[in-house]
Amino acid sequence: KGVASLGHAKITWADARETLLDWRLYLHYAIFISISAPFSSLSLFTPTIVSGLGYEGLQAQLFTVPPYAAAFVVTMSLAWFTDKYECRSLGAATALTIGGLAFLLQGI
């Protein structure tokens, strides 16, 4: 553990077994799946949601742009801030928490 891959070492079955039994691998998979479902749902269903508000065609498509534009500004600002103050994990955790809470609040 903790050894950087330099491309020189051969992978052994013991190394593969150790990796596959590491709990962090499965935590990473669980977090990725938890993030992927809401993210893809939002991008796929936003035009349908907007058209349900009474907008149609090109107008409905154009009303899907402002949330992504705002998200771009927030993402770039957060990236700049966390890079400047070297607190990337805190910034990522905060953004994920806010996003998760917002997603849960939509169901209320």
Side-chain angles (χ1 to χ4, degrees), residues 2-13:
V3 178
S5 174
L6 300 175
H8 302 287
K10 301 225 186 235
I11 298 173
T12 64
W13 283 110

Side-chain angles (χ1 to χ4, degrees), residues 60-107:
Q61 292 294 327
L62 290 175
F63 274 111
T64 65
V65 174
Y68 288 104
F72 174 76
V73 171
V74 169
T75 300
M76 295 306 291
S77 301
L78 183 64
W80 176 83
F81 180 82
T82 58
D83 189 49
K84 181 177 180 177
Y85 294 103
E86 297 181 1
C87 58
R88 292 169 193 89
S89 60
L90 180 61
T94 302
L96 289 172
T97 301
I98 292 169
L101 290 173
F103 189 73
L104 290 173
L105 288 174
Q106 289 177 14

Side-chain angles (χ1 to χ4, degrees), residues 22 25-27 41 46 55 70 79-80 83 100 102-103:
D22 191 353
L25 178 70
Y26 299 99
L27 177 64
S41 297
T46 302
Y55 300 101
W80 176 83
D83 189 49
F103 189 73

Side-chain angles (χ1 to χ4, degrees), residues 29-39 103:
Y29 288 157
I31 291 171
F32 178 75
I33 290 169
S34 299
I35 293 170
S36 297
F39 182 70
F103 189 73

